[in-house]
Amino acid sequence: MILLNMLKGKLHRVRVTDVELEYEGSCAIDTDLLNSAGIYPYEQVHIYNVHNGDRFSTYAIPAAAGSGVISVNGAAARRVALGDILIIAAYAQIPEDQITAFQPRLVYVDQRNQITRCSHDLS
């Protein structure tokens, strides 16, 4: 069986609200955002910084629902600044014969990281 790495969920253009260098690691994300994107606590996420082009991976931890928190912690905190715009993505291995039915969960936010819409449409 062939498995393809596919985008499972994406938080599009979220804004960094906190940077915590003296933390053991991870990225704290508003639980509403995690749930909408289908990203689980402690799941690996890839983070793309729109402001400086840095790309790195860490894992997601839940922050308070409705808070809008996007806190990049630990060593990864050196890759962002407060207010930076990020794309946070999670991927899954999908069997090739299920690709046509597969749809990622895309979440779009406003300036305060509050959800404005969710979509499966990549266009």
Side-chain angles (χ1 to χ4, degrees), residues 30 32-33 66-69 108-117:
D30 178 324
D32 288 342
L33 296 174
S67 65
V69 165
Y108 302 86
V109 300
D110 63 17
Q111 298 254 342
R112 295 180 353 262
N113 294 334
Q114 300 302 304
I115 298 169
T116 58
R117 71 182 172 98

Tab-separated table of all heavy atoms in Angstrom, residues 30 32-33 66-69 108-117:
chain	number	residue	atom	x	y	z
A	30	ASP	N	-4.670	28.150	20.944
A	30	ASP	CA	-6.066	28.233	21.372
A	30	ASP	C	-6.776	26.920	21.013
A	30	ASP	O	-6.732	26.471	19.865
A	30	ASP	CB	-6.703	29.415	20.652
A	30	ASP	CG	-8.176	29.631	20.925
A	30	ASP	OD1	-8.926	28.648	21.073
A	30	ASP	OD2	-8.592	30.802	20.943
A	32	ASP	N	-9.839	26.195	20.556
A	32	ASP	CA	-10.823	26.319	19.470
A	32	ASP	C	-10.147	26.188	18.110
A	32	ASP	O	-10.691	25.566	17.189
A	32	ASP	CB	-11.564	27.657	19.543
A	32	ASP	CG	-12.544	27.737	20.703
A	32	ASP	OD1	-12.925	26.676	21.261
A	32	ASP	OD2	-12.927	28.873	21.053
A	33	LEU	N	-8.957	26.767	17.975
A	33	LEU	CA	-8.217	26.665	16.719
A	33	LEU	C	-7.761	25.231	16.472
A	33	LEU	O	-7.886	24.716	15.356
A	33	LEU	CB	-7.023	27.621	16.726
A	33	LEU	CG	-7.349	29.115	16.799
A	33	LEU	CD1	-6.074	29.930	16.958
A	33	LEU	CD2	-8.132	29.561	15.582
A	66	GLY	N	-10.899	30.162	22.944
A	66	GLY	CA	-11.344	31.535	22.720
A	66	GLY	C	-10.324	32.599	23.031
A	66	GLY	O	-10.568	33.777	22.820
A	67	SER	N	-9.155	32.197	23.522
A	67	SER	CA	-8.127	33.161	23.935
A	67	SER	C	-7.362	33.773	22.768
A	67	SER	O	-6.773	34.834	22.898
A	67	SER	CB	-7.128	32.486	24.872
A	67	SER	OG	-6.403	31.470	24.177
A	68	GLY	N	-7.322	33.075	21.645
A	68	GLY	CA	-6.520	33.541	20.511
A	68	GLY	C	-5.031	33.320	20.699
A	68	GLY	O	-4.220	33.773	19.895
A	69	VAL	N	-4.631	32.601	21.741
A	69	VAL	CA	-3.213	32.419	22.059
A	69	VAL	C	-2.506	31.586	20.999
A	69	VAL	O	-2.966	30.511	20.610
A	69	VAL	CB	-3.037	31.759	23.444
A	69	VAL	CG1	-1.620	31.238	23.645
A	69	VAL	CG2	-3.383	32.750	24.531
A	108	TYR	N	-9.154	29.883	8.936
A	108	TYR	CA	-8.739	31.252	8.670
A	108	TYR	C	-9.157	32.126	9.850
A	108	TYR	O	-10.223	31.913	10.430
A	108	TYR	CB	-9.381	31.758	7.377
A	108	TYR	CG	-9.025	30.902	6.193
A	108	TYR	CD1	-9.763	29.767	5.884
A	108	TYR	CD2	-7.914	31.195	5.408
A	108	TYR	CE1	-9.417	28.951	4.813
A	108	TYR	CE2	-7.568	30.395	4.338
A	108	TYR	CZ	-8.323	29.273	4.044
A	108	TYR	OH	-7.967	28.466	2.990
A	109	VAL	N	-8.318	33.089	10.180
A	109	VAL	CA	-8.546	33.906	11.372
A	109	VAL	C	-8.450	35.395	11.064
A	109	VAL	O	-7.922	35.789	10.029
A	109	VAL	CB	-7.536	33.549	12.488
A	109	VAL	CG1	-7.658	32.086	12.889
A	109	VAL	CG2	-6.112	33.871	12.066
A	110	ASP	N	-8.928	36.196	12.030
A	110	ASP	CA	-8.778	37.650	11.945
A	110	ASP	C	-7.503	38.074	12.677
A	110	ASP	O	-6.705	37.228	13.089
A	110	ASP	CB	-10.024	38.364	12.490
A	110	ASP	CG	-10.284	38.104	13.974
A	110	ASP	OD1	-9.369	37.636	14.704
A	110	ASP	OD2	-11.414	38.381	14.422
A	111	GLN	N	-7.324	39.354	12.886
A	111	GLN	CA	-6.115	39.898	13.524
A	111	GLN	C	-5.952	39.465	14.976
A	111	GLN	O	-4.874	39.550	15.528
A	111	GLN	CB	-6.130	41.427	13.447
A	111	GLN	CG	-6.109	41.962	12.043
A	111	GLN	CD	-4.769	42.531	11.676
A	111	GLN	OE1	-3.964	42.832	12.534
A	111	GLN	NE2	-4.523	42.682	10.390
A	112	ARG	N	-7.038	39.000	15.619
A	112	ARG	CA	-6.981	38.564	17.016
A	112	ARG	C	-7.003	37.038	17.130
A	112	ARG	O	-7.303	36.497	18.193
A	112	ARG	CB	-8.151	39.172	17.798
A	112	ARG	CG	-8.088	40.689	17.902
A	112	ARG	CD	-9.263	41.299	18.681
A	112	ARG	NE	-10.316	40.386	19.067
A	112	ARG	CZ	-11.480	40.213	18.412
A	112	ARG	NH1	-11.745	40.910	17.350
A	112	ARG	NH2	-12.371	39.358	18.853
A	113	ASN	N	-6.738	36.364	16.025
A	113	ASN	CA	-6.732	34.894	15.952
A	113	ASN	C	-8.093	34.285	16.264
A	113	ASN	O	-8.184	33.164	16.770
A	113	ASN	CB	-5.659	34.290	16.881
A	113	ASN	CG	-4.257	34.630	16.434
A	113	ASN	OD1	-4.010	34.869	15.264
A	113	ASN	ND2	-3.343	34.665	17.372
A	114	GLN	N	-9.148	35.010	15.954
A	114	GLN	CA	-10.500	34.471	16.084
A	114	GLN	C	-10.923	33.937	14.715
A	114	GLN	O	-10.663	34.564	13.683
A	114	GLN	CB	-11.468	35.549	16.575
A	114	GLN	CG	-11.094	36.122	17.936
A	114	GLN	CD	-11.012	35.060	19.034
A	114	GLN	OE1	-11.963	34.333	19.281
A	114	GLN	NE2	-9.865	34.979	19.689
A	115	ILE	N	-11.565	32.800	14.710
A	115	ILE	CA	-11.917	32.126	13.464
A	115	ILE	C	-12.912	32.969	12.663
A	115	ILE	O	-13.941	33.398	13.184
A	115	ILE	CB	-12.513	30.733	13.757
A	115	ILE	CG1	-11.468	29.863	14.459
A	115	ILE	CG2	-13.018	30.078	12.470
A	115	ILE	CD1	-12.013	28.566	15.031
A	116	THR	N	-12.574	33.185	11.386
A	116	THR	CA	-13.488	33.885	10.483
A	116	THR	C	-14.177	32.897	9.550
A	116	THR	O	-15.307	33.122	9.131
A	116	THR	CB	-12.758	34.948	9.647
A	116	THR	OG1	-11.701	34.323	8.897
A	116	THR	CG2	-12.195	36.040	10.531
A	117	ARG	N	-13.479	31.801	9.198
A	117	ARG	CA	-14.104	30.765	8.390
A	117	ARG	C	-13.245	29.505	8.419
A	117	ARG	O	-12.051	29.562	8.694
A	117	ARG	CB	-14.363	31.225	6.966
A	117	ARG	CG	-13.129	31.384	6.100
A	117	ARG	CD	-13.511	31.896	4.703
A	117	ARG	NE	-12.330	32.211	3.948
A	117	ARG	CZ	-11.772	31.394	3.059
A	117	ARG	NH1	-12.300	30.222	2.811
A	117	ARG	NH2	-10.678	31.748	2.415
